[in-house]
Amino acid sequence: MDKQLIHQFIVNALSEDVGDGDHTSLATIEAGTRGKAKLLVKDTGILAGVELAREIFEVVDPNLKMEVFLNDGAEVKPKDIAFTVEGDARNILTAERLVLNCMQRMSGIATKTNEIADLLKGTNTKVLDTRKTTPGFRYLEKWAVRIGGGVNHRIGLYDMILIKDNHVDYSGGIRPAIENANRYLLETGRKLAIEIEVRNLDELEQVLQTGGVNRILLDNFDFDTLRQAVGMIEGRYITEASGGITIDNIRDYADCGVDYVSVGALTHSVKSLDLSLKAVKL
C-alpha cells in the first residue's frame, strides 16, 4: 500500500464530500455520542477495501476502532459482517459513504477479476488490467484487481513504453517506432520495458525482424491467427492478447498459448458489490 498516495486520496475525497461540515450529523446527533456500526454484506463475491476502510477511519478520527472479521480477498455472501467500527457517532457517519463507495467498487472489481482468474486455471495465462480506469481512482481499482487474483499492467504512462497503433502510425512504421523508443531510453538513461502492439502477422514479422522489445501485444487476432502468432514468436517475447475478450471466450484465448490476456472490463464496467454500514446498539 502506498500510504502517501492513499492518504492524499482520502483527504481529497473527504474534502469533496464533507465541505464545511457534515451538517446532518452535526444537527441531529449530540456531540460526544458514541456509536458502533457493522459493515454488512448484501451480495455474493470477493471482498476488497477492508484495509482502505481502516485508513479512511484513521484519517477521519484516529480514535475510531475497527474489529475485522473478514479480510481483503475473502469470499463473502449476504448477511456476512466484514467488520465493526466503534467510536464517535458523528465521525463514523462522516466516513460512511467514502468507505462504502470505495469498498463496493473495489469488491465488484475483485469479484469480476476472480471469476476470470478461475476460468484461466489450468493454463499458463494470467489476466491483466488496463488503463481504462476511473480518473483519481486508478490505484484503488488496480489494487482490487490484485486482490481478485489478477495482474497489474503498467500503472500509467510513466512506468512502461507501450507502442500502440497510433504511435506506430505517427512514427512512420514498426521499425522506426521501436528504434526511436530504444534511442529514447539510451539518451535518457531510463530503464523501462518496451511493449508493442501488432494488428496482423505482417506487423508481427516486422517486430521479430527488428527486435528491441520485451513484450508483444496481439490485438484483435482471431484464434487461428493468434495460435500462428504465438508459434512465430516461439517464446522469445512475452505475449499478450487483447481486443474482444469476454468471459465467454477468454479460455479460448488462453488456450492459444499467450502469457497474458488484458481485459478493460475489469475496471471500466463492473457491477459494484452491495454493502451497507448499519448502526449497532451499544
Side-chain angles (χ1 to χ4, degrees):
M1 183 195 306
D2 186 329
K3 286 262 193 178
Q4 184 176 354
L5 189 153
I6 291 296
H7 180 82
Q8 189 59 56
F9 165 80
I10 294 170
V11 169
N12 290 342
L14 288 171
S15 176
E16 175 185 63
D17 195 30
V18 178
D20 68 350
D22 175 7
H23 297 302
T24 307
S25 295
L26 292 170
T28 60
I29 302 170
E30 290 187 14
T33 299
R34 290 191 62 79
K36 184 176 182 180
K38 62 183 178 182
L39 194 290
L40 180 65
V41 178
K42 302 166 71 176
D43 215 340
T44 300
I46 302 298
L47 189 66
V50 175
E51 287 305 307
L52 176 63
R54 187 187 300 279
E55 296 298 315
I56 293 171
F57 287 127
E58 174 72 20
V59 172
V60 171
D61 179 355
N63 293 315
L64 293 176
K65 303 299 181 186
M66 278 181 70
E67 184 176 4
V68 175
F69 307 114
L70 296 168
N71 292 307
D72 288 330
E75 295 183 8
V76 294
K77 62 186 184 304
K79 298 185 179 181
D80 282 347
I81 298 173
F83 61 76
T84 60
V85 59
E86 186 173 349
D88 186 284
R90 287 177 173 178
N91 290 336
I92 291 173
L93 295 180
T94 296
E96 174 186 9
R97 179 46 54 193
L98 179 56
V99 167
L100 289 174
N101 284 347
C102 293
M103 288 194 65
Q104 288 181 148
R105 180 152 182 80
M106 288 180 70
S107 296
I109 291 169
T111 299
K112 176 63 70 176
T113 304
N114 185 257
E115 182 181 0
I116 290 176
D118 280 347
L119 292 173
L120 297 177
K121 285 182 178 177
T123 74
N124 293 318
T125 304
K126 297 186 182 301
V127 61
L128 287 173
D129 55 22
T130 70
R131 283 173 51 244
K132 295 176 181 178
T133 54
T134 308
F137 208 76
R138 179 177 299 178
Y139 182 88
L140 305 183
E141 291 178 336
K142 284 181 171 282
W143 186 2
V145 167
R146 297 195 303 273
I147 290 171
V151 177
N152 292 152
H153 203 299
R154 58 179 177 161
I155 301 301
L157 294 171
Y158 59 87
D159 60 335
M160 175 187 279
I161 290 180
L162 174 46
I163 306 170
K164 303 198 77 174
D165 53 355
N166 285 336
H167 300 98
V168 168
D169 292 342
Y170 283 144
S171 60
I174 294 283
R175 180 177 291 275
I178 294 174
E179 291 175 345
N180 290 346
N182 279 281
R183 186 180 306 111
Y184 173 82
L185 292 181
L186 184 63
E187 292 173 350
T188 62
R190 297 182 185 276
K191 297 185 182 301
L192 300 172
I194 298 177
E195 179 173 8
I196 187 164
E197 176 185 274
V198 297
R199 295 165 282 192
N200 50 57
L201 294 179
D202 177 62
E203 288 189 344
L204 173 59
E205 183 60 39
Q206 293 178 55
V207 171
L208 296 177
Q209 291 176 2
T210 305
V213 300
N214 305 99
R215 182 182 296 191
I216 300 175
L217 172 57
L218 304 155
D219 188 50
N220 283 302
F221 279 45
D222 61 50
F223 298 132
D224 289 339
T225 310
L226 186 59
R227 280 189 288 269
Q228 187 176 347
V230 171
M232 290 170 62
I233 295 168
E234 295 181 317
R236 286 174 285 173
Y237 303 99
I238 297 169
T239 54
E240 175 188 341
S242 70
I245 299 174
T246 68
I247 282 181
D248 295 329
N249 62 25
I250 195 166
R251 179 69 186 221
D252 295 320
Y253 277 96
D255 287 339
C256 292
V258 291
D259 298 302
Y260 295 103
V261 287
S262 54
V263 181
L266 291 183
T267 52
H268 72 57
S269 58
V270 297
K271 175 183 176 293
S272 293
L273 210 68
D274 193 3
L275 306 170
S276 184
L277 195 69
K278 292 295 186 183
V280 177
K281 288 185 178 180
L282 289 172

